[in-house]
Amino acid sequence: METRSVLQLDQAISGDSIADNDRFMDIMKTASLLDRAIAVLRLNDTGVFTKPGPHQYPHQWNWDSALIALGLSYFDLPRAQAEIRSLLSGQWRDGMLPSVVYHSIPSDYFPHPQFWQIENSPNAPAVQTTGITQPPLLATVVRLIHERLAIPEFVAEVYPALLHWHRWLHTDRDADGSGLACIIHPWESGTDDSPRWLHLFEAIHPEALPEFQRGDTRYVAATERPNRTEYERFIYLIDIFRQHNYVSSELLAHSPFLAQDILFNAILFRANEDLRALALNLGESTDEIDLWLRRVRSNFDARFWNENLGLYYDYDRRTGRSIPVNTASTFLPLFAGLPSQEQAQRLIEGHLLNPAEYAPGGEVRHWVTTTAQTEPTWEPRRYWRGPVWVIMNWLILEGLRRYGYNDLAALIREDTMGLIESAGFREYYDPRDASGCGSTDFSWSAALAIELLRHP
Ligand code: DGY
């Protein structure tokens, strides 16, 4: 059944364009959720990489691409492997895997490739990319695919690149020997305008801004995108990085934004566990990875855990202060298996299940708002200020399963599928009424719908 419908979709969508739009729309109206999810991934497939969204995000994004590969692996393993190879083609000589690989596709996206001026760095690759990274989900995805579909040759092929990236994160981005990676731009957190970064922004006063024109409000309402104040700081930071030619030591010394992000470090820890499993499969030494794991495990709580409140707070590495903002990134250590069972219980029972913060209740009817509703900066429709994101729900429910909270995981899964059923594969959702926000036909929402359908 599945093979036939995929074939039908393939006939309707040929190469990088929809050959027969009406037929595509017909299929979308009548197909099962699984087939519709596959159709979205096919729709956004350029042949070389998969766009996160058809208009808003026309290039290849790092952590989007990892999840897209996971989705693709269910119905087109060679295409999933090609997706990963494409992303790795943007790897910098020092190991950094950039947040975006442009692949020379003309687009109206800003910042355009030339804006980054990466050619001034001796580490830049031959292809056009950004000069910053994104949460390292890729090793986890490669392990998941390998465990399900056994791809030892592919693992052997990509393992050196993954190790190189993680090594770069544990050296070039370790500002204090703690093993915790620093991020230098909110875009590296993947949660651009999350309220957890606002404190850091208050200390940043852009003097002269380079000339630029935002492109992100062309296809999505400005009320669902970052505010101007934040956006100007995003651009100001890039300008500083260009002036330092992306030399890591200089960026650590001079970036006015320097943070240790719970989400990023939890994903990195989990990715190191997965990289270790891949290393064992390949008969490679795990000594270096073991060292990273030990170091982070012994410093994680001291840096992030707030014993009074029973949650994790991000850390401003520049000022040496904890960032007292309650966002859903506090649940990400569960995905990495970092909290003790008692800490997990405090996180879940004290916060995730609390309707004043995250659980449905009052005007909020859907899981999991990306910011606690108790935060004054919480906004239900604006990007990372509060809407529900499929990726966060997936990361959280994977964490809940790790700690035996299977019923709660099932509840969040069901609610997530309900949002997708009612509003389609949107970038994010308003937790009050389940309406869709941001990009339509969003690839990772489709990829994770496939994952949640196949691994309920
Ligand atoms: C965007 O364009 O909004 C991205 O999040 C930056 O990578």
Side-chain angles (χ1 to χ4, degrees), residues 10 27 40 55 89 123 135 171 262 277 339 343 358 456:
D10 276 349
I27 290 172
V40 166
H55 309 292
S89 74
N123 289 316
T171 51
I262 315 163
Q343 284 173 310
Y358 293 98

Side-chain angles (χ1 to χ4, degrees), residues 10 38 57 243 284 306 344 416 426:
D10 276 349
I38 292 170
Y57 305 104
Q243 288 164 30
E284 297 279 344
N306 184 307
T416 311
R426 296 301 297 265

Side-chain angles (χ1 to χ4, degrees), residues 56-57 61 99-100 109-111 134 187 192 216 225 231 383:
Q56 183 80 351
Y57 305 104
W61 265 257
S99 60
V100 180
Y109 177 75
F110 180 81
Q134 251 188 346
W187 286 352
D192 308 6
D216 65 308
R225 293 292 304 174
Y231 205 91
Y383 211 36

Side-chain angles (χ1 to χ4, degrees), residues 407-437:
D407 291 347
L408 182 55
L411 212 62
I412 294 177
R413 176 196 173 276
E414 201 182 309
D415 192 55
T416 311
M417 298 312 285
L419 288 171
I420 297 173
E421 273 290 2
S422 72
F425 302 96
R426 296 301 297 265
E427 191 178 0
Y428 38 103
Y429 302 85
D430 187 325
R432 299 166 304 178
D433 60 5
S435 56
C437 312

Side-chain angles (χ1 to χ4, degrees), residues 26 69 159 167 194 250 255 282 315 376 388 395 400 408-409 416 422:
D26 276 353
Y159 176 81
R167 185 179 293 140
S194 169
E250 291 195 24
S255 172
L282 294 171
Y315 193 78
V388 173
L395 293 166
L400 292 172
L408 182 55
T416 311
S422 72

Side-chain angles (χ1 to χ4, degrees), residues 62-63 66-67 135-142 165 267 271 335 391 394-395:
N62 183 328
W63 69 332
L67 295 174
L137 262 180
L138 189 57
T140 298
V141 164
V142 172
W165 184 23
I267 287 178
F335 178 71
I391 184 178
W394 179 70
L395 293 166

